Amino acid sequence: MSITEVDFARAVELIRAGELVAFPTETVYGLGADAANPAAVAKIFAAKGRPADHPLIVHIAGHDAVDHWAEQVPAVAWELMETFWPGPLTLILKKQSWVPDAVTGGQDTVGLRVPGHPVALELLRAFAAVAGEHAGIAAPSANRFGRISPTTAEHVREELGERVPLILDGGPCKVGIESTIVDCSRGEPVVLRPGHIAPAHLEAVIGRRPRIETADGAPRVSGSLAAHYAPQTPMRLVSSERLLDFINAQRHKGDRCGVISTGQPPQAGMPHAWRMLPADPVGYAHDLYAALRDMDHAGVDLIAVEALPDDPAWAAVADRLRRAVAGAGQA
């Protein structure tokens, strides 16, 4: 897990040569390529099996690079950068005309983020030192498209194997779900993907709570498809009051059921596998993807996930679970 200067030098060499490097951020592991090199960016799509019109997030080393990638940056965007960067916030901005369509999915906007992980920042700074101070690394999650995002280097190896020449192992990701995406390209800021930075956090900076929008008309962004973050095993959301009856029904059918819950397993009628997650949204988010991967390896026929509290604090995790259920069993 210890990364040396030689590792960073090798990573920069590969990225400059148009190759892929997986690296940790505080959210999930990313699959990175030189964002200014369309041929290199195309390798990301090939490795992931990702649709070509699905845009990527450009990771940069600091605020100074923003104007290189974006134009007409509104004051509210700078306020959000000052507060939350480095950190798990992606801003959608009007792109500069030169930014490759391969990065933006052919749109007139670009997503930018300064990640809050020391390994990611060191890589970005090392790359900028040789490729130009405004250089950026395009990096979606380092997994096959639609599958569970990786939160450890081992997850990346499991997902992509030899498709990635180098994986920088920075240990488990601190946040565990993808960044909050805020669109600042159309006037009032709008949340296009909820994440660790909640609308209440954004309200404290901009003085009003931004709405969450996923309807047509918004820029396409990472993680916005109905089916995403999905395990290979079919999955159901089950209310707390129905969970025990649901488990028993699966057992009577002869199905092996795995359960993800914030509570203890029952003393009788234990399902095939049980994973207890923290009962707070931050801890739950940190552990969610690893729990889904565990269930995929547990030999169960169905994953039952206890439904979450109907509370704005749980919005980001609820978003990931809804998409996971929609895509589960299709991989």
Side-chain angles (χ1 to χ4, degrees):
M1 200 168 73
S2 177
I3 301 174
T4 67
E5 289 186 14
V6 173
D7 296 322
F8 282 115
R10 174 64 176 152
V12 169
E13 179 185 347
L14 284 166
I15 293 172
R16 289 205 74 194
E19 298 298 335
L20 304 179
V21 171
F23 62 95
T25 75
E26 75 280 26
T27 58
V28 299
Y29 272 71
L31 182 62
D34 181 354
N37 181 344
V41 171
K43 293 182 180 180
I44 294 177
F45 288 87
K48 286 177 61 71
R50 184 183 179 97
D53 66 347
H54 212 56
L56 305 177
I57 294 169
V58 177
H59 296 70
I60 53 179
H63 302 60
D64 293 347
V66 169
D67 285 329
H68 180 70
W69 293 89
E71 64 177 15
Q72 303 170 26
V73 180
V76 67
W78 291 110
E79 291 173 12
L80 292 171
M81 292 177 218
E82 290 294 335
T83 304
F84 297 113
W85 281 4
L89 177 69
T90 296
L91 297 179
I92 304 298
L93 302 164
K94 289 291 185 183
K95 73 165 191 170
Q96 292 285 359
S97 59
W98 71 268
V99 178
D101 284 346
V103 169
T104 66
Q107 301 181 113
D108 65 353
T109 55
V110 63
L112 298 178
R113 178 160 100 90
V114 178
H117 192 291
V119 172
L121 286 171
E122 181 62 28
L123 174 63
L124 286 161
R125 290 165 182 158
F127 180 56
V130 297
E133 61 180 328
H134 301 136
I137 296 176
S141 55
N143 57 291
R144 286 170 287 152
F145 183 72
R147 293 273 286 117
I148 306 166
S149 298
T151 53
T152 69
E154 183 55 39
H155 294 165
V156 180
R157 283 187 281 270
E158 177 185 313
E159 285 283 323
L160 299 176
E162 298 302 316
R163 300 179 200 180
V164 187
L166 178 65
I167 302 170
L168 295 176
D169 187 348
C173 298
K174 182 178 179 181
V175 173
I177 59 171
E178 299 76 8
S179 61
T180 304
I181 298 180
V182 176
D183 179 15
C184 293
S185 71
R186 298 175 294 150
E188 286 290 310
V190 176
V191 176
L192 301 185
R193 181 176 72 185
H196 183 73
I197 295 172
H201 300 138
L202 301 169
E203 181 181 18
V205 176
I206 64 178
R208 55 201 175 279
R209 183 163 298 200
R211 72 182 189 278
I212 298 176
E213 178 184 328
T214 57
D216 293 341
R220 294 188 308 278
V221 295
S222 295
S224 60
L225 297 182
H228 219 68
Y229 318 115
Q232 293 172 297
T233 308
M235 180 173 157
R236 288 274 300 277
L237 284 175
V238 183
S239 65
S240 300
E241 57 270 20
R242 288 190 56 240
L243 186 59
L244 189 55
D245 287 341
F246 184 86
I247 294 167
N248 287 330
Q250 299 307 308
R251 188 171 66 253
H252 290 317
K253 286 184 354 184
D255 286 347
R256 294 163 299 177
C257 183
V259 176
I260 295 175
S261 169
T262 58
Q264 295 282 353
Q267 292 183 344
M270 176 68 177
H272 186 79
W274 189 284
R275 180 71 184 268
M276 192 173 81
L277 298 193
D280 68 279
V282 173
Y284 194 106
H286 178 271
D287 292 355
L288 173 60
Y289 289 154
L292 291 176
R293 284 182 181 276
D294 286 349
M295 287 298 176
D296 256 351
H297 295 303
V300 299
D301 300 304
L302 178 70
I303 305 168
V305 181
E306 182 183 14
L308 302 177
D310 184 15
D311 184 288
W314 288 86
V317 176
D319 171 81
R320 302 313 191 274
L321 280 178
R322 281 194 303 271
R323 299 178 197 277
V325 168
Q330 300 177 17

